[in-house]
Amino acid sequence: MDHEADYAAYVREAWGGLVRSAVFLGCSLHEAEDVAQTALVRCWTAWPSVVAADNRAAYVYRVLLNCLRDSKRRRWWGERPAEVLPEPTEPTRDAADDLATADAVHRALAGLSPPHRDVVVLRYFAGLSERETAEALGLPAGTVKSRLSRSLARLAADDHLTDLRPGPTPETADTADTADQTGGTR
């Protein structure tokens, strides 16, 4: 396969994961798309090096992290006012639960230090192995493991993720109490 076709196939395969990872690293969706696109352009200019790398995914995610850090140094990432608001589109379904979940995850990840957040996002949201994560971050595998352990412990205790934990919720607890009092469910 020629370089151009190989690159195009890689972009189709990797695009969603790169954008998702950038969002979980603190970007808005639009900024994440910009960062992912910049990373892929940089990878295109060095495609022979990317192909020759021992781990292509780790190489590309390293470029993504560098692009993200470069863009945060250059730009202000706050709100940008607009004179005309865009027309709202009809939602195909109620996305409130998805938004609440995404917000909770974003808030919990924001509570981690950047090195810990990088490890969690690359390992669990980008789907890299511990070895690939270590390679992408330029760290020993043991450091990745210890950061993951500390990060997961902190996320497990994070109040933002309370509603996402398995177990009884206020709604199911009320139902269980009613069932106990009446000898069954209504």
Side-chain angles (χ1 to χ4, degrees):
M1 189 183 301
D2 64 38
H3 286 304
E4 206 168 308
D6 185 35
Y7 174 77
Y10 181 78
V11 168
R12 280 190 299 277
E13 176 186 319
W15 176 256
L18 291 169
V19 171
R20 245 185 332 274
S21 296
V23 166
F24 283 118
L25 289 167
C27 296
S28 72
L29 177 60
H30 299 294
E31 293 161 338
E33 290 172 342
D34 288 345
V35 169
Q37 184 174 12
T38 301
L40 288 170
V41 167
R42 286 185 187 176
C43 288
W44 168 247
T45 61
W47 192 245
S49 298
V50 175
V51 172
D54 291 336
N55 188 327
R56 186 184 297 186
Y59 188 105
V60 173
Y61 277 97
R62 176 74 171 231
V63 172
L64 177 80
L65 286 168
N66 289 338
C67 289
L68 177 63
R69 289 188 179 105
D70 289 348
S71 69
K72 285 196 177 201
R73 280 187 217 117
R74 276 195 313 270
R75 285 195 265 165
W76 176 63
W77 286 72
E79 293 181 8
R80 293 179 181 87
E83 284 188 38
V84 179
L85 295 176
E87 289 296 320
T89 58
E90 286 290 321
T92 55
R93 65 184 181 92
D94 183 10
D97 289 338
D98 293 341
L99 290 174
T101 299
D103 182 58
V105 171
H106 284 277
R107 287 175 188 266
L109 287 173
L112 298 175
S113 68
H116 286 85
R117 184 175 47 241
D118 293 349
V119 168
V120 170
V121 170
L122 293 181
R123 178 68 178 98
Y124 294 107
F125 293 102
L128 299 182
S129 69
E130 287 176 352
R131 184 182 61 77
E132 291 168 332
T133 301
E135 190 174 322
L137 295 172
L139 298 171
T143 302
V144 168
K145 289 180 184 183
S146 66
R147 284 185 186 172
L148 278 173
S149 175
R150 285 188 211 106
S151 300
L152 293 177
R154 182 147 184 205
L155 290 173
D158 193 298
D159 290 337
H160 294 105
L161 301 177
T162 301
D163 293 340
L164 301 179
R165 292 188 186 108
T169 62
E171 294 82 22
T172 59
D174 291 341
T175 306
D177 291 341
T178 305
D180 288 342
Q181 293 171 2
T182 61
T185 59
R186 296 184 207 194

Short mmCIF file of all heavy atoms in Angstrom, two decimals, residues 65-103:
data_model
loop_
_atom_site.label_atom_id
_atom_site.label_comp_id
_atom_site.label_asym_id
_atom_site.label_seq_id
_atom_site.Cartn_x
_atom_site.Cartn_y
_atom_site.Cartn_z
N LEU A 65 -0.65 14.99 22.10
CA LEU A 65 -0.38 15.68 23.37
C LEU A 65 0.48 16.92 23.16
O LEU A 65 0.24 17.97 23.76
CB LEU A 65 0.30 14.72 24.36
CG LEU A 65 -0.60 13.65 24.97
CD1 LEU A 65 0.24 12.61 25.69
CD2 LEU A 65 -1.59 14.28 25.92
N ASN A 66 1.48 16.81 22.30
CA ASN A 66 2.33 17.98 22.02
C ASN A 66 1.53 19.09 21.35
O ASN A 66 1.69 20.27 21.68
CB ASN A 66 3.52 17.57 21.15
CG ASN A 66 4.52 16.73 21.90
OD1 ASN A 66 4.59 16.75 23.12
ND2 ASN A 66 5.30 15.96 21.17
N CYS A 67 0.65 18.74 20.40
CA CYS A 67 -0.18 19.75 19.73
C CYS A 67 -1.12 20.42 20.74
O CYS A 67 -1.33 21.63 20.69
CB CYS A 67 -0.99 19.11 18.61
SG CYS A 67 -0.01 18.62 17.19
N LEU A 68 -1.68 19.62 21.63
CA LEU A 68 -2.58 20.17 22.64
C LEU A 68 -1.84 21.15 23.53
O LEU A 68 -2.31 22.26 23.79
CB LEU A 68 -3.18 19.03 23.48
CG LEU A 68 -4.09 19.45 24.62
CD1 LEU A 68 -5.31 20.18 24.10
CD2 LEU A 68 -4.48 18.25 25.44
N ARG A 69 -0.68 20.78 23.99
CA ARG A 69 0.09 21.68 24.86
C ARG A 69 0.54 22.94 24.11
O ARG A 69 0.50 24.03 24.67
CB ARG A 69 1.29 20.93 25.45
CG ARG A 69 0.81 19.91 26.47
CD ARG A 69 1.93 19.26 27.23
NE ARG A 69 1.37 18.32 28.19
CZ ARG A 69 1.37 17.01 28.05
NH1 ARG A 69 1.95 16.45 27.01
NH2 ARG A 69 0.82 16.24 28.97
N ASP A 70 0.93 22.78 22.85
CA ASP A 70 1.31 23.94 22.05
C ASP A 70 0.13 24.90 21.88
O ASP A 70 0.28 26.11 21.99
CB ASP A 70 1.81 23.52 20.67
CG ASP A 70 3.16 22.84 20.70
OD1 ASP A 70 3.84 22.88 21.75
OD2 ASP A 70 3.54 22.24 19.66
N SER A 71 -1.05 24.34 21.60
CA SER A 71 -2.21 25.20 21.36
C SER A 71 -2.66 25.90 22.64
O SER A 71 -3.11 27.04 22.58
CB SER A 71 -3.36 24.39 20.76
OG SER A 71 -3.88 23.49 21.71
N LYS A 72 -2.51 25.26 23.79
CA LYS A 72 -2.90 25.91 25.04
C LYS A 72 -1.93 27.03 25.39
O LYS A 72 -2.31 27.99 26.05
CB LYS A 72 -2.98 24.89 26.17
CG LYS A 72 -4.22 24.05 26.05
CD LYS A 72 -4.52 23.33 27.31
CE LYS A 72 -5.82 22.57 27.11
NZ LYS A 72 -6.46 22.25 28.33
N ARG A 73 -0.70 26.92 24.97
CA ARG A 73 0.27 28.00 25.22
C ARG A 73 -0.05 29.20 24.33
O ARG A 73 0.19 30.34 24.70
CB ARG A 73 1.68 27.53 24.91
CG ARG A 73 2.28 26.72 26.02
CD ARG A 73 3.74 26.44 25.73
NE ARG A 73 4.01 25.10 26.20
CZ ARG A 73 4.37 24.07 25.46
NH1 ARG A 73 4.57 24.21 24.18
NH2 ARG A 73 4.58 22.89 25.98
N ARG A 74 -0.57 28.95 23.14
CA ARG A 74 -0.80 30.01 22.18
C ARG A 74 -2.13 30.74 22.34
O ARG A 74 -2.23 31.92 22.10
CB ARG A 74 -0.80 29.44 20.76
CG ARG A 74 0.55 29.28 20.16
CD ARG A 74 0.45 29.07 18.66
NE ARG A 74 -0.54 28.08 18.27
CZ ARG A 74 -0.31 26.79 18.12
NH1 ARG A 74 0.88 26.31 18.34
NH2 ARG A 74 -1.27 25.97 17.74
N ARG A 75 -3.19 30.00 22.67
CA ARG A 75 -4.52 30.57 22.60
C ARG A 75 -5.19 30.67 23.95
O ARG A 75 -4.92 29.91 24.85
CB ARG A 75 -5.42 29.68 21.74
CG ARG A 75 -5.16 29.81 20.29
CD ARG A 75 -6.29 29.20 19.55
NE ARG A 75 -5.93 27.82 19.22
CZ ARG A 75 -6.78 26.92 18.82
NH1 ARG A 75 -8.03 27.20 18.71
NH2 ARG A 75 -6.39 25.70 18.52
N TRP A 76 -6.15 31.56 23.99
CA TRP A 76 -7.04 31.65 25.13
C TRP A 76 -8.17 30.67 24.86
O TRP A 76 -8.75 30.64 23.78
CB TRP A 76 -7.55 33.07 25.25
CG TRP A 76 -8.55 33.26 26.33
CD1 TRP A 76 -8.34 33.07 27.66
CD2 TRP A 76 -9.90 33.66 26.18
NE1 TRP A 76 -9.47 33.35 28.34
CE2 TRP A 76 -10.47 33.70 27.46
CE3 TRP A 76 -10.71 33.98 25.11
CZ2 TRP A 76 -11.77 34.07 27.70
CZ3 TRP A 76 -12.00 34.34 25.34
CH2 TRP A 76 -12.53 34.39 26.62
N TRP A 77 -8.49 29.84 25.87
CA TRP A 77 -9.47 28.77 25.66
C TRP A 77 -10.81 29.09 26.32
O TRP A 77 -11.60 28.20 26.59
CB TRP A 77 -8.91 27.46 26.21
CG TRP A 77 -7.86 26.92 25.33
CD1 TRP A 77 -6.61 27.39 25.16
CD2 TRP A 77 -7.97 25.81 24.45
NE1 TRP A 77 -5.92 26.66 24.24
CE2 TRP A 77 -6.74 25.66 23.80
CE3 TRP A 77 -8.98 24.91 24.15
CZ2 TRP A 77 -6.50 24.67 22.86
CZ3 TRP A 77 -8.73 23.92 23.23
CH2 TRP A 77 -7.51 23.81 22.59
N GLY A 78 -11.10 30.34 26.56
CA GLY A 78 -12.37 30.71 27.18
C GLY A 78 -13.48 30.83 26.15
O GLY A 78 -13.34 30.47 24.98
N GLU A 79 -14.59 31.39 26.58
CA GLU A 79 -15.73 31.56 25.69
C GLU A 79 -15.43 32.65 24.67
O GLU A 79 -14.73 33.61 24.94
CB GLU A 79 -16.96 31.95 26.50
CG GLU A 79 -17.44 30.87 27.41
CD GLU A 79 -18.68 31.29 28.18
OE1 GLU A 79 -19.25 32.37 27.89
OE2 GLU A 79 -19.08 30.54 29.07
N ARG A 80 -16.04 32.51 23.52
CA ARG A 80 -15.92 33.52 22.48
C ARG A 80 -17.34 34.00 22.14
O ARG A 80 -18.15 33.20 21.66
CB ARG A 80 -15.25 32.92 21.25
CG ARG A 80 -13.81 32.57 21.53
CD ARG A 80 -13.14 31.96 20.30
NE ARG A 80 -11.78 31.61 20.61
CZ ARG A 80 -11.39 30.46 21.14
NH1 ARG A 80 -12.27 29.54 21.42
NH2 ARG A 80 -10.12 30.23 21.38
N PRO A 81 -17.62 35.26 22.41
CA PRO A 81 -18.98 35.75 22.15
C PRO A 81 -19.28 35.80 20.66
O PRO A 81 -18.39 35.97 19.83
CB PRO A 81 -18.98 37.15 22.76
CG PRO A 81 -17.55 37.54 22.85
CD PRO A 81 -16.75 36.28 22.96
N ALA A 82 -20.56 35.64 20.33
CA ALA A 82 -21.01 35.72 18.94
C ALA A 82 -22.18 36.68 18.87
O ALA A 82 -23.00 36.74 19.80
CB ALA A 82 -21.42 34.34 18.44
N GLU A 83 -22.28 37.45 17.78
CA GLU A 83 -23.39 38.38 17.63
C GLU A 83 -24.70 37.64 17.39
O GLU A 83 -25.74 38.03 17.88
CB GLU A 83 -23.11 39.35 16.49
CG GLU A 83 -22.10 40.41 16.85
CD GLU A 83 -21.98 41.46 15.77
OE1 GLU A 83 -23.00 41.82 15.17
OE2 GLU A 83 -20.85 41.90 15.54
N VAL A 84 -24.64 36.59 16.59
CA VAL A 84 -25.84 35.84 16.24
C VAL A 84 -25.69 34.42 16.76
O VAL A 84 -24.69 33.75 16.48
CB VAL A 84 -26.04 35.82 14.71
CG1 VAL A 84 -27.27 35.02 14.34
CG2 VAL A 84 -26.12 37.24 14.17
N LEU A 85 -26.68 33.98 17.53
CA LEU A 85 -26.64 32.61 18.04
C LEU A 85 -27.10 31.65 16.96
O LEU A 85 -28.01 31.96 16.18
CB LEU A 85 -27.55 32.48 19.27
CG LEU A 85 -27.12 33.29 20.48
CD1 LEU A 85 -28.16 33.14 21.59
CD2 LEU A 85 -25.78 32.83 20.97
N PRO A 86 -26.51 30.48 16.89
CA PRO A 86 -26.95 29.52 15.88
C PRO A 86 -28.36 29.01 16.19
O PRO A 86 -28.78 28.98 17.35
CB PRO A 86 -25.92 28.38 15.99
CG PRO A 86 -25.33 28.53 17.34
CD PRO A 86 -25.43 29.98 17.71
N GLU A 87 -29.07 28.63 15.15
CA GLU A 87 -30.41 28.08 15.32
C GLU A 87 -30.30 26.71 16.00
O GLU A 87 -29.45 25.90 15.62
CB GLU A 87 -31.09 27.90 13.96
CG GLU A 87 -31.48 29.20 13.31
CD GLU A 87 -32.53 29.95 14.11
OE1 GLU A 87 -33.46 29.32 14.65
OE2 GLU A 87 -32.41 31.19 14.21
N PRO A 88 -31.13 26.48 17.00
CA PRO A 88 -31.08 25.16 17.65
C PRO A 88 -31.60 24.08 16.70
O PRO A 88 -32.48 24.33 15.88
CB PRO A 88 -32.02 25.31 18.85
CG PRO A 88 -32.90 26.48 18.53
CD PRO A 88 -32.13 27.36 17.59
N THR A 89 -31.01 22.92 16.79
CA THR A 89 -31.46 21.80 15.97
C THR A 89 -32.33 20.90 16.81
O THR A 89 -32.23 20.87 18.04
CB THR A 89 -30.25 21.00 15.44
OG1 THR A 89 -29.50 20.55 16.56
CG2 THR A 89 -29.39 21.86 14.55
N GLU A 90 -33.19 20.17 16.16
CA GLU A 90 -34.07 19.24 16.86
C GLU A 90 -33.27 18.04 17.32
O GLU A 90 -32.65 17.36 16.51
CB GLU A 90 -35.18 18.76 15.92
CG GLU A 90 -36.25 19.80 15.67
CD GLU A 90 -37.11 20.05 16.89
OE1 GLU A 90 -37.44 19.08 17.61
OE2 GLU A 90 -37.43 21.22 17.13
N PRO A 91 -33.25 17.77 18.62
CA PRO A 91 -32.54 16.57 19.07
C PRO A 91 -33.33 15.31 18.67
O PRO A 91 -34.55 15.32 18.65
CB PRO A 91 -32.49 16.73 20.59
CG PRO A 91 -33.62 17.65 20.92
CD PRO A 91 -33.83 18.52 19.71
N THR A 92 -32.61 14.28 18.32
CA THR A 92 -33.27 13.04 17.95
C THR A 92 -33.69 12.25 19.18
O THR A 92 -34.53 11.39 19.10
CB THR A 92 -32.34 12.16 17.08
OG1 THR A 92 -31.12 11.96 17.79
CG2 THR A 92 -32.06 12.84 15.76
N ARG A 93 -33.08 12.58 20.31
CA ARG A 93 -33.45 11.95 21.57
C ARG A 93 -33.03 12.86 22.70
O ARG A 93 -32.25 13.79 22.50
CB ARG A 93 -32.82 10.57 21.73
CG ARG A 93 -31.31 10.60 21.83
CD ARG A 93 -30.74 9.18 21.88
NE ARG A 93 -29.31 9.23 22.00
CZ ARG A 93 -28.66 9.21 23.16
NH1 ARG A 93 -29.32 9.15 24.27
NH2 ARG A 93 -27.35 9.25 23.19
N ASP A 94 -33.53 12.59 23.88
CA ASP A 94 -33.16 13.40 25.03
C ASP A 94 -31.74 13.02 25.45
O ASP A 94 -31.49 11.88 25.88
CB ASP A 94 -34.14 13.14 26.17
CG ASP A 94 -33.84 14.00 27.38
OD1 ASP A 94 -33.01 14.92 27.26
OD2 ASP A 94 -34.44 13.76 28.44
N ALA A 95 -30.85 13.95 25.32
CA ALA A 95 -29.44 13.67 25.60
C ALA A 95 -29.02 14.15 26.98
O ALA A 95 -27.82 14.21 27.27
CB ALA A 95 -28.57 14.32 24.53
N ALA A 96 -29.97 14.47 27.85
CA ALA A 96 -29.63 15.01 29.17
C ALA A 96 -28.78 14.04 29.98
O ALA A 96 -27.82 14.46 30.64
CB ALA A 96 -30.89 15.37 29.94
N ASP A 97 -29.11 12.76 29.94
CA ASP A 97 -28.31 11.79 30.69
C ASP A 97 -26.89 11.70 30.16
O ASP A 97 -25.94 11.63 30.94
CB ASP A 97 -28.97 10.41 30.65
CG ASP A 97 -30.23 10.34 31.49
OD1 ASP A 97 -30.39 11.19 32.40
OD2 ASP A 97 -31.06 9.45 31.23
N ASP A 98 -26.76 11.70 28.83
CA ASP A 98 -25.42 11.66 28.25
C ASP A 98 -24.61 12.90 28.61
O ASP A 98 -23.42 12.80 28.93
CB ASP A 98 -25.50 11.54 26.72
CG ASP A 98 -26.08 10.21 26.26
OD1 ASP A 98 -26.09 9.25 27.07
OD2 ASP A 98 -26.51 10.13 25.10
N LEU A 99 -25.26 14.06 28.59
CA LEU A 99 -24.57 15.29 28.94
C LEU A 99 -24.18 15.30 30.41
O LEU A 99 -23.08 15.74 30.77
CB LEU A 99 -25.44 16.51 28.62
CG LEU A 99 -25.65 16.80 27.14
CD1 LEU A 99 -26.65 17.94 26.96
CD2 LEU A 99 -24.34 17.14 26.46
N ALA A 100 -25.07 14.81 31.26
CA ALA A 100 -24.76 14.77 32.69
C ALA A 100 -23.59 13.83 32.96
O ALA A 100 -22.70 14.14 33.76
CB ALA A 100 -25.98 14.34 33.49
N THR A 101 -23.58 12.69 32.29
CA THR A 101 -22.48 11.74 32.45
C THR A 101 -21.17 12.35 31.95
O THR A 101 -20.15 12.28 32.63
CB THR A 101 -22.78 10.44 31.70
OG1 THR A 101 -23.97 9.86 32.24
CG2 THR A 101 -21.64 9.45 31.81
N ALA A 102 -21.23 12.94 30.76
CA ALA A 102 -20.02 13.56 30.20
C ALA A 102 -19.51 14.68 31.11
O ALA A 102 -18.31 14.80 31.35
CB ALA A 102 -20.29 14.11 28.80
N ASP A 103 -20.43 15.49 31.65
CA ASP A 103 -20.04 16.56 32.55
C ASP A 103 -19.38 16.01 33.81
O ASP A 103 -18.36 16.52 34.26
CB ASP A 103 -21.26 17.42 32.92
CG ASP A 103 -20.88 18.58 33.82
OD1 ASP A 103 -20.03 19.39 33.41
OD2 ASP A 103 -21.42 18.65 34.94
#
